[in-house]
Amino acid sequence: MRHLPRWLRHAVVWPPLTLWLPYPFYNRGHSAHHVNFHLTHPERDDESAYHSAPAWAGYGPVRRWIYIANQTIAFRVVLGPFLRLWKLARFEAGRVRAGDFSRLPTWGWHALSVAPVLYFVIGICGMGFGEYLLYVVYPGMMLGSLRTFTEHRWADTPHERVAIVESNVVFGLLYLFNNLHHVHHRAPTMPWYEIPVYFRRHRAEVLAANGHFYYRGYGEIVRRHLFRPVFTPVHPAW
């Protein structure tokens, strides 16, 4: 895929099959996420599940309980998608209220991109909109919540903040081998199908570099953190 023109690579992943997130926002946020020094930073890393101490101090008891519960598999997978949508809506509404309309054109293009997806789903496939949300969009967000649940944690060195989940080939293919997440951060332009080969060849080196931040598979993560928080949501350093 690396030899393909940039516009074609973007066109392949542009259709918003999950409906809710415009690709340019994801691409921009994920690029910022790959500034490894800022990994887990509550403000600079869009994918961080941590909160700064000043922000935490301003939360009420219900909001604190929600964010603590969000550190368990049971909450993150089942209700986490709704929390993510709420945070996105709150963030976008806040920008508009502040007079910042710079993101609205992207939302306009996103709406135009959603239209042919829904035309295909509803008009051609005959699936109801509610069925698509229930059987495709929501399960997709649940699976994404499982993959990202404990990809990152705070550590003094950036590479020790990125996990390896050595799962089976089914989950590997489902997640395009991003379960071997430390490899993805070491070489973010590496094609997904080369990741498991690289990991097998450099397994000891990879695990030494990430401080053995390692899980045997998602079953282990579920057993350990179904109802037990994976970490305290207040960031210990930022």
Side-chain angles (χ1 to χ4, degrees):
M1 292 289 285
R2 283 178 293 188
H3 66 281
L4 297 177
R6 183 182 179 87
W7 69 266
L8 182 56
R9 284 182 279 132
H10 281 205
V12 169
V13 297
W14 185 279
L17 302 182
T18 59
L19 305 181
W20 67 279
L21 182 63
Y23 172 73
F25 293 163
Y26 166 78
N27 187 44
R28 193 179 312 154
H30 194 64
S31 296
H33 170 72
H34 272 276
V35 179
N36 286 333
F37 180 76
H38 293 155
L39 275 175
T40 75
H41 194 293
E43 281 83 36
R44 296 180 180 179
D45 180 4
D46 287 348
E47 299 182 23
S48 176
Y50 286 96
H51 303 261
S52 67
W56 188 262
Y59 298 159
V62 174
R63 194 171 179 185
R64 288 186 182 183
W65 179 88
I66 289 172
Y67 286 137
I68 292 172
N70 195 45
Q71 303 306 315
T72 68
I73 282 285
F75 188 99
R76 180 81 63 90
V77 172
V78 177
L79 297 176
F82 300 100
L83 179 61
R84 194 169 186 186
L85 293 173
W86 174 77
K87 289 175 66 177
L88 177 64
R90 187 168 176 268
F91 175 78
E92 296 295 334
R95 291 184 72 111
V96 172
R97 284 197 300 268
D100 181 358
F101 305 104
S102 62
R103 292 165 68 94
L104 293 184
T106 300
W107 279 109
W109 281 110
H110 181 67
L112 292 175
S113 302
V114 164
V117 172
L118 292 182
Y119 171 75
F120 177 79
V121 169
I122 299 172
I124 296 179
C125 298
M127 180 180 287
F129 178 66
E131 292 176 307
Y132 187 67
L133 292 179
L134 183 62
Y135 301 143
V136 178
V137 176
Y138 181 49
M141 294 184 73
M142 294 173 76
L143 287 168
S145 297
L146 174 62
R147 180 180 70 79
T148 59
F149 176 73
T150 183
E151 280 183 344
H152 300 285
R153 67 177 181 190
W154 166 250
D156 290 332
T157 60
H159 280 296
E160 293 184 2
R161 301 173 197 170
V162 190
I164 287 287
V165 182
E166 196 173 12
S167 192
N168 56 54
V169 70
V170 174
F171 276 95
L173 288 171
L174 179 67
Y175 293 141
L176 299 182
F177 296 106
N178 258 324
N179 51 296
L180 306 173
H181 205 59
H182 180 73
V183 177
H184 174 60
H185 272 266
R186 286 168 69 97
T189 61
M190 182 183 295
W192 64 269
Y193 48 84
E194 294 180 7
I195 291 176
V197 177
Y198 181 94
F199 179 68
R200 285 196 298 269
R201 291 177 178 172
H202 305 277
R203 189 177 190 278
E205 176 191 343
V206 168
L207 293 178
N210 85 333
H212 293 270
F213 181 14
Y214 169 85
Y215 298 92
R216 287 183 179 273
Y218 291 98
E220 178 186 351
I221 295 173
V222 171
R223 287 192 300 272
R224 290 171 61 176
H225 299 294
L226 182 61
F227 298 112
R228 181 185 303 165
V230 66
F231 55 68
T232 302
V234 183
H235 202 287
W238 287 319

